[in-house]
């Protein structure tokens, strides 16, 4: 902490948890904790936003290479992400700190947000060496994706080809170690990625739902080989604030087989199979999930919000965050309003923001009853499903027989004659509601997904680039068939969801010609206590690349309280996004907070949501919204 009044630099040991503001208030200004709490917002404004501030605040961190990695130690200096220091302020602060630390250690300035990155870019690197956030992230040897503990057998694969070729399938008690675990992996006890990945890929979302430890551990495979742990039973632990994953050898189960954990029983809302017409998204609301599935119902609700607004827009910002009574003054700033704006002004501005910058692509939804009509139209298909249901009832979900029965059911769904009445109904609905669309996409919308304890992320199919009724009908069959894949059937069975309780709606939607796409969650999955930031994964190519885990997306944090953003990782990209796209992402982050408020299941408004989106020109297409369930 640099006190400009007397030009004294204070070094505060972070080990005891003392924060800058508390140190200044109590040790320098002689304030009590109660006084600080009562004026915390104005105090923060003064130390982080005032251009004539008395105090300059930063964090000095020592970075050392791991034992098995090359590299010299260095120090980094950064402010908090909401700090609005100018270029001259950053320059002055850096040089004052440089004068007071060990000259043998390089000191690198780490810009805390995109604004600071712009300031630092105008300073010669010979004067102020720097390191960006994404550069540090890319060298991190450990990233805790999901905290937890597990006892299981380590299974190590050097690449996906080796994994696919292994004759012994993964068992529930295995802890799988490989560069990037594929999204079709069966349920296991733990996951270790040996390459960087994103917390928002389907497999990592599933791991959070399974409540299993999950981490990035660069060099973990080499460590396991050195310590002779491959194929051995181990205790595995991931701590949210840890510096490495913890692995230690453990004795195998006494009888050679570890008892399977009792799976959390998942309740599926009873499907409504009453005859229902194919319906446009504009006519659906959240309560229609029992006839059309959760995904379709949420998209219908979104279309309604964009047109009519929500009485719950302000919920997240109205909720108290002690010592603050609410965050409404911060929302007012983000909406370009005076801090004294009333609820009506805030609501109007919020609705305008959402309506101007977001939309839901046109679409229709095939209800559960249409799928049921098709399944009942084929005696052979009905018999195949009865055989599968009977086998599951005998408790044989792990046998090869189940795989064969699932594949047989899928084959019949793809090939059984489609009744003319269904073909005609789909053709007319596409023609009426999706005329002029250059391409269509068919998306799954089941009642057995987005449930507490069962996210089903990536479990069901979507089919893109459709042109014409025949292509749409083939895609619809493919989506229906995905409900009976061996993996989907086994995972639902483990969760206690009976085969005949799962129904599949299908969304047929205009395909967005996106230039940029991605996924966001209205929380920071790497820091559960962070209520300020929205976490975004971005691909310059497609949303699929983000959620599949195959591509390495750009990763951002956008602060929806004080504003600003920063790049966490460039992923596979060679350069960051342009300024205009970053500005649109910040608006999208703010919109997502408003949507979180509307879809919140309670009045705490704290439950985060997961949104898939795509940018076309200067607007954002909202493709999916669902709860984001963490392990907590």
């Amino acid at each position: 902490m640099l006190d400009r009044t007397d030009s004294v630099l204070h070094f505060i040991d972070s080990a005891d948890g003392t924060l800058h503001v508390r140190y200044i208030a109590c040790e320098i200004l002689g304030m009590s904790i109660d006084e600080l709490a009562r004026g915390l917002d104005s105090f923060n404004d003064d130390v982080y936003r005032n251009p004539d501030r008395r105090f300059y605040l930063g964090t000095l961190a020592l970075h050392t290479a791991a034992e098995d990695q090359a590299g010299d130690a260095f120090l980094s200096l950064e402010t908090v992400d909401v700090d609005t220091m100018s270029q001259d302020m950053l320059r002055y602060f850096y040089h004052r700190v440089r004068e007071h630390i060990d000259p043998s250690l390089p000191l690198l300035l780490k810009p805390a947000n995109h604004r600071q990155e712009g300031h630092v870019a105008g300073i010669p690197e010979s004067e102020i060496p720097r390191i960006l956030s994404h550069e540090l992230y890319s060298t991190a040897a450990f990233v805790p994706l999901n905290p937890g503990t597990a006892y299981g057998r380590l299974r190590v694969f050097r690449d996906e080809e080796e994994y696919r070729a292994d004759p012994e399938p993964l068992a529930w008690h295995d802890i799988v170690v490989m560069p990037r675990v594929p999204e079709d992996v069966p349920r296991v006890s733990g996951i270790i990625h040996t390459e960087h990945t994103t917390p928002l890929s389907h497999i990592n979302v599933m791991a959070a739902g399974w409540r299993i430890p999950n981490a990035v551990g660069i060099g973990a495979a080499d460590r396991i080989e050195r310590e002779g742990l491959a194929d051995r039973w181990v205790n595995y632990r991931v701590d949210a604030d840890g510096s490495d994953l913890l692995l230690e050898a453990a004795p195998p189960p006494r009888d050679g087989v570890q008892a399977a954990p009792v799976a959390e029983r998942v309740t599926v809302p009873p499907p409504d199979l009453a005859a229902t017409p194919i319906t446009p998204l504009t006519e659906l609301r959240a309560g229609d999930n029992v006839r059309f599935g959760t995904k379709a119902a949420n998209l219908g609700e979104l279309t309604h919000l964009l047109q009519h607004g929500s009485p719950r827009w302000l919920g997240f910002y109205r909720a108290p965050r002690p010592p603050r009574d609410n965050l409404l003054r911060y929302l007012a700033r983000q909406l370009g309003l005076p801090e004294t704006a009333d609820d009506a002004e805030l609501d109007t501005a919020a609705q305008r923001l959402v309506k101007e910058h977001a939309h839901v692509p046109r679409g229709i939804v095939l209800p559960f009853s249409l799928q049921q009509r098709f399944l009942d139209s084929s005696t052979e298909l009905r018999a195949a499903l009865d055989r599968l249901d009977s086998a599951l009832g005998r408790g044989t979900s792990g046998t090869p027989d189940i795989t064969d029965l699932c594949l047989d059911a899928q084959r019949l769904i793809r090939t059984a004659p489609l009744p003319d009445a269904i073909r005609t109904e789909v053709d007319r609905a596409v023609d009426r509601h999706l005329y002029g669309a250059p391409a269509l996409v068919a998306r799954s919308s089941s009642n057995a997904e987005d449930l507490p304890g069962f996210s089903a992320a990536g479990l069901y199919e979507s089919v893109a680039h459709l042109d014409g009724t025949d292509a749409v009908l083939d895609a619809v069959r493919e989506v229906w068939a995905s409900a009976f894949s061996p993996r989907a059937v086994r995972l639902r069975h483990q969760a206690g969801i009976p085969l005949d309780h799962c129904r599949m709606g299908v969304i047929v939607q205009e395909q967005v010609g996106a230039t940029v796409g991605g996924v966001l969650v209205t929380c920071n999955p790497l820091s559960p206590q962070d209520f300020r930031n929205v976490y975004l994964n971005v691909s310059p190519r497609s949303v699929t690349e983000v959620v599949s885990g195959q591509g390495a997306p750009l990763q951002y944090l956008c602060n929806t309280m004080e504003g600003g953003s920063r790049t966490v990782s460039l992923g596979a990209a060679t350069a960051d996004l342009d300024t205009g796209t970053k500005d649109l992402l910040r608006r999208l982050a703010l919109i997502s907070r408003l949507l979180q408020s509307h879809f919140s299941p309670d009045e705490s408004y704290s439950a985060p949501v997961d949104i898939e989106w795509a940018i076309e020109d200067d607007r954002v297409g909202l493709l999916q919204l669902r709860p984001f369930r963490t392990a907590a």
Side-chain angles (χ1 to χ4, degrees), residues 1 20-30 43 47 55 57:
M1 181 205 74
H20 286 113
V21 291
R22 181 166 182 168
Y23 180 83
I24 295 171
C26 299
E27 304 297 330
I28 306 297
L29 303 179
F43 191 98
V47 297
F55 302 105
L57 311 179

Side-chain angles (χ1 to χ4, degrees), residues 178-350:
M178 60 190 300
R180 288 186 192 168
V181 177
E183 65 177 38
D184 63 353
V185 70
R187 184 164 185 160
V188 291
S189 289
I191 290 175
I192 300 173
H193 306 268
T194 59
E195 291 181 359
H196 280 285
T197 182
T198 165
L200 304 190
S201 69
H202 282 150
I203 185 57
N204 293 329
V205 172
M206 294 284 279
W210 292 337
R211 294 175 171 82
I212 62 173
N214 180 22
V216 172
I218 307 299
D222 293 333
R223 171 187 164 188
I224 289 168
E225 183 177 343
R226 286 196 308 271
E227 297 178 10
L229 295 176
D231 295 317
R232 292 183 60 185
W233 288 78
V234 298
N235 291 314
Y236 168 40
R237 189 172 87 235
V238 174
D239 294 327
D241 56 354
S243 58
D244 199 358
L245 54 87
L246 302 175
L247 283 174
E248 60 179 9
R254 289 183 179 179
D255 59 0
V257 178
Q258 173 73 357
V262 177
E264 180 179 353
R265 312 306 286 179
V266 175
T267 301
V268 175
D272 184 347
L273 301 179
T276 304
I278 297 174
T279 304
L281 285 172
T282 52
E283 296 180 14
L284 297 189
R285 298 296 299 274
D288 291 315
N289 62 315
V290 295
R291 293 181 295 151
F292 295 93
T294 305
K295 192 181 301 181
N298 284 349
L299 282 175
E301 186 75 10
L302 278 174
T303 62
H304 180 84
L305 297 181
L306 299 187
Q307 291 301 314
H308 304 289
S310 168
R312 293 163 59 85
W313 275 148
L314 311 182
F316 177 85
Y317 292 91
R318 189 180 282 124
R321 294 276 182 181
R324 301 173 180 86
D325 292 334
N326 58 64
L327 304 178
L328 290 174
R329 68 193 294 262
Y330 291 94
L331 176 60
R333 282 181 182 174
Q334 299 307 308
L335 293 173
L337 298 175
E339 292 186 6
T340 55
D342 61 25
D343 283 6
E345 292 171 310
L346 290 169
D347 188 77
T348 299

